[in-house]
Amino acid sequence: MYDFWRLFRGYWNSEHKWRARGLLAFVIGLNFFDVYLLVCINSWFNEFYNALQQYQADSFWPLVGEFTGLASLHIFIAVYAIYLRQMVQINWRTWLTNDYMAKWLREQSYYRLQVLKSDTDNPDQRISEDINQFVLLTLQLLIGFLKQFTTLAAFGVVLWNLSGAFTVPLGSHEFVIYGYMFWFSLIYSVLGTVGAHIAGRKLIRLNFDQQRYEADFRFNMMRVRENSESVAFYRGESSEGIGFKERFAHVIKNYWQLMRQTKILNFYVNGYAQLAIIVPLVLAAPRYFAGGMALGGLMQTVTAFGHVQDALSFFVTSYDTIAQLLAVIRRLLGFTEHIEEVSAIKNGVQRGEQAGQELSLTALHVQLPDERVLLQDCTLALPSGSRVLVTGASGCGKSTLLRTLAGIWPYGKGGITFPAGSRILFLPQRPYLPLGSLRRALYYPLTTEGNPERLQEVLELVGLAKFASRLDDVDDWSRILSLGEQQRLAFARVLLVKPDWIFLDEASSALDEPREQEMYALIKRELPQVSIVSVGHRSTLFAQHDTELHLAGDGSWQLRPVQA
């Protein structure tokens, strides 16, 4: 219950709480009024069937008219109760989705989850599907429970009064059971609920696993789509096909188990429901044949018993829904706890600004989560205008050093101080191109657009002039542009953003050497005061830098001038 409350309480205590609570209360009120109408219709059954039994033709049409009015009002209330419940649902889902997206994006949690919590599966599904399921199922169960509780209270009184007394002879004594049909309904429902739990308890785990297997299968196909060119070059269709079949086999195997368990539960629930149809007739028949009640009373009793039985059987008929909700809660709570866990990891490296024109590293210590040291006690000062090439063997920590400078790698200690007010831009090896127009991709991460003439000029400078006419085309540009073109587009971003410090993590690896030299010369010509820190393996990069920072991989480092 506490786990459910953790997910439930946020929206209802938010800045929208009064509007949300008011709308929910109105929806609940409509459901209560609908129960009142059902009680009125139940009373109508008594009058109507008594009139039929007594051949009262003059009462027939007035009673039909009364039913028409009650039924029309019932339809209107039922429709708007669902419509307004859906309004609550979409408002709640919107708030919860925005809240989760904010948590996921805050402090690079989306990045930390991928790097530090590899067991966090499919965060996109958690936000897009599980939140919707949580809201939908919660409202269905909450409003359904309150409505059935009200139904139980209203029709329980009706059934008690209609049942009369049932005398049970026991030896020389007689025991009188008042409201016997109500007590029978209560006992029947309690036993039914226990039986439903026994029959359906495995569904909770099976629903949880089904969602996970479906998401893994979908994610595997998405990975192939995103890396289709690499798969095609490797002729990896057979290998990927095996991967697809393995993951789909998990989907089918678990679904078969889900089907079998659902079949057992459905046998139980349907048998329980069908038995509940004949039971009230059997229980009321003795009084009816003995003349203790008229036909109208019999039909009213049967109907009242049905409503009481439905109310008391709420958990039996809703067991599958409850199982789905519990599975959704487990997935969302796991996602929430992982976000909280990675957010709680404090960055041991202190980043700040200072007056002057130097980038200072003070006793910088960088390590991996397993505490293996990559850089130890690095203290240096890089003046403005520096061009530093970070070198070292693969795996020595060059890219991790850039992550530390960017503030997204939390494992380490020491201090990093940038010149006050300096603009900083990091270029990864594979540039990120957001969905949308080419213009938006060029200005990323800026959210505003500048001079169109300048944009076309920059495209010409980086050799992408052929795309100048397609700036407003919306497409998947990461698919259209080659990696080399994407890296040139990243250099175009540099010219548009005009940073003071640029950090390049093998950002020119897909370019041929003349083009790479051209890009560095372009930055030097267009932004002569810019400072550059590059990570790379090519020997030709030495000509573009004046200082080398060499990492040995065991924590030691050396800063030395580049030899001409």
Side-chain angles (χ1 to χ4, degrees), residues 141 145 148 189 192-194 196-197 265 268-269 272 309-323:
L141 291 172
F145 171 77
Q148 295 293 15
S189 300
T193 301
V194 173
H197 176 65
L265 182 62
Y268 180 83
V269 170
Y272 176 89
Q309 189 60 40
D310 287 344
L312 289 172
S313 305
F314 175 75
F315 291 105
V316 176
T317 55
S318 302
Y319 197 90
D320 185 52
T321 304
I322 295 172

Side-chain angles (χ1 to χ4, degrees), residues 322-343:
I322 295 172
Q324 292 180 43
L325 177 61
L326 291 176
V328 167
I329 290 173
R330 289 178 59 182
R331 290 194 299 271
L332 280 178
L333 272 182
F335 182 48
T336 302
E337 288 168 357
H338 282 169
I339 289 180
E340 292 173 351
E341 185 178 346
V342 298
S343 298

Side-chain angles (χ1 to χ4, degrees), residues 14 21 85 102 113 134 209 260 338 496 519 551 555-556 563:
S14 69
R21 293 175 184 178
R85 188 195 71 194
L113 282 171
F134 173 74
D209 289 341
R260 295 187 189 102
H338 282 169
L496 293 171
M519 291 299 102
L551 307 184
S556 61
Q563 299 296 322

Side-chain angles (χ1 to χ4, degrees), residues 62-135:
L63 286 171
V64 170
E66 180 182 345
F67 176 79
T68 302
L70 290 172
S72 299
L73 189 56
H74 168 68
I75 293 170
F76 180 83
I77 295 298
V79 168
Y80 268 91
I82 295 174
Y83 176 77
L84 294 177
R85 188 195 71 194
Q86 291 173 331
M87 186 182 296
V88 175
Q89 176 186 337
I90 197 157
N91 290 341
W92 189 5
R93 181 189 178 186
T94 299
W95 184 91
L96 203 55
T97 300
N98 290 335
D99 181 62
Y100 264 88
M101 284 195 298
K103 290 177 181 177
W104 187 49
L105 295 175
R106 188 182 302 133
E107 298 178 353
Q108 290 90 36
S109 292
Y110 59 92
Y111 169 74
R112 293 186 174 192
L113 282 171
Q114 181 179 358
V115 175
L116 310 178
K117 296 294 295 183
S118 58
D119 58 334
T120 304
D121 60 294
N122 307 293
D124 53 318
Q125 185 190 25
R126 303 289 164 262
I127 295 176
S128 64
E129 294 184 18
D130 286 344
I131 287 177
N132 182 43
Q133 285 295 304
F134 173 74
V135 172

